[in-house]
Amino acid sequence: MRTLSSALATCAAAALVLAASPAAAAPAAAAPAQRAANPHAVLIGGNLDENAEILRSIVDLADPDGAGPAKARIAIVTAAARPARTPEQAADPSLNNAAANGLYYSDLFQQYGAETYAVPVDGADDYPGDEYRPDRADDPAVVAEIDTATGVFFGGGDQMRYVRTLLDCEPAPDEAVTTCADTPVLTALRRAADRGVVAGVSAGLTIQQGSDMVTGGESYEAWRDGATPGYLDDPAELAYVPYGGFGFVEGVQIDSHFATWGRQGRAVKLGLETGHDLVLGVDETTAVVLDRSTGVGRVIGEHGASLLDLSGAVETDGGVEGVRWSYATAGDSINLKRGLVAAADGSAAVRPTSAPVAERSDVWDSLAGDGGMYSLRDLARDTVASSARTGSGTSFEVDPQFRTILTREPQTRAWTTPGGNVSFARLDLRIETVAHSH
């Protein structure tokens, strides 16, 4: 979660989108029929921006009988947002708090034909009559409502708030929890997700992974200082929860706002330190629609999704080599079980004829830099189109400074999709420390 001053403008815009709030609970309906199709996940990297294709995908996957008479009913979970402090804050869907976000998302999904139930759980009991409270994670009435749902949507905010509210964990220093159990509400949400779809945006995406879930950090600080178990006061320092998230999508580490905010560096570092071979990172206003049974998904939306394959990575003195980076855009497919991406039908191979690529500065889009976005992704696209085999860029910060080197190897493939986006597979990524003379 970006919280430092240079990211405030970006976050403020995203917060309006990720905000929404507790609509009044829908009346309990008959238990939904079990859908024959495999359960899915819709993994949204952040800044949903009311994207019609993404929203329609969620509602369609939550429809229990296709074009039949039954309707999708989506349980909306917004406990990652901060609690409302007053009844007035809770009732204003333009604000960013758990109750307000429930209202916002309820209205949004109803516009696409779904029924909704805003799950009234957050991290505090703030005022008399507050419907959103921690104790409601154990409420049989809330469980009964969720048991009529055919899908689940997790809103954005801070994924650690989901851990605190929907899991019962053994206390640990710095909240570096390793032993947790589901609350009754989370158990019910799992049942609802298995009936159709589980979706989430930003923190609601990140919480869907299994062990070693990231809780904060920037790429530069990750390589300067390494990863620390727990939840840290400094949001720039790389930290993670060993127990992880809710585990709807296993076998891969997941990160949000990915190429948007230059998070490739932090993802590589966290994967190396926690022993994970595969990272899935999703950009803003982009989603991966994933079949949870097969691990195969399709990219939709405006930007792309990254797979970082660390299975052949080797740590060097202050860096790493042997990372393979693949980037899929709308229409391309991703296979999490094999760690591969495949081109959309009708794609055309990129022919590398452009001039050599100039070195970039601030390639990790530092908070202290010029506020750029997608810098490393854009460098990669220039590299796969260049007659030179390599492109590189440095971190904004120095002492130490880091360089990321991208190399087109014989196994690297790049293509232009029918939508005009450039995707690539198995681009070599290396990070090294830059030597400075004094």
Side-chain angles (χ1 to χ4, degrees), residues 22 46 50 60 83 94 98 133 144 147 174-175 177 185 205 222 262-263 353 362 370 376-377 391:
E50 301 189 4
D60 287 349
S94 70
R133 307 187 304 270
D147 278 337
D174 296 321
E175 296 185 274
V177 296
V185 158
L205 158 71
R263 287 180 163 173
T353 58
D362 195 14
D370 61 6
L376 192 56
R377 191 277 311 270

Side-chain angles (χ1 to χ4, degrees), residues 352-428:
T353 58
S354 301
V357 181
E359 181 158 298
R360 309 280 185 94
S361 60
D362 195 14
V363 78
W364 285 338
D365 295 324
S366 170
L367 289 167
D370 61 6
M373 295 191 296
Y374 295 103
S375 296
L376 192 56
R377 191 277 311 270
D378 292 346
L379 177 66
R381 284 177 163 173
D382 289 349
T383 300
V384 298
S386 172
S387 56
R389 294 178 51 243
T390 299
S392 67
T394 55
S395 62
F396 176 82
E397 297 87 349
V398 298
D399 297 326
Q401 187 174 44
F402 298 96
R403 176 178 286 113
T404 304
I405 302 100
L406 304 176
T407 304
R408 195 180 70 248
E409 300 286 3
Q411 72 271 21
T412 304
R413 298 289 180 266
W415 59 92
T416 302
T417 68
N421 295 310
V422 174
S423 306
F424 54 85
R426 297 187 65 78
L427 184 65
D428 183 80

Side-chain angles (χ1 to χ4, degrees), residues 306-340:
S306 295
L307 281 183
L308 294 173
D309 179 357
L310 310 182
S311 60
V314 177
E315 293 192 67
T316 59
D317 185 15
V320 64
E321 59 186 29
V323 177
R324 299 290 183 263
W325 177 18
S326 299
Y327 186 75
T329 60
D332 296 333
S333 62
I334 286 178
N335 188 321
L336 295 183
K337 291 188 177 179
R338 299 183 64 194
L340 299 175

Side-chain angles (χ1 to χ4, degrees), residues 152-163:
V152 178
F153 178 83
F154 290 99
D158 184 340
Q159 55 264 33
M160 195 63 198
R161 293 193 182 108
Y162 281 135
V163 173

Side-chain angles (χ1 to χ4, degrees), residues 27-35 64 70-71 73 144-150 195:
Q34 178 70 43
R35 195 178 189 196
K71 290 178 116 180
R73 188 166 195 251
E145 290 283 2
I146 296 169
D147 278 337
T148 69
T150 55
R195 286 190 287 270

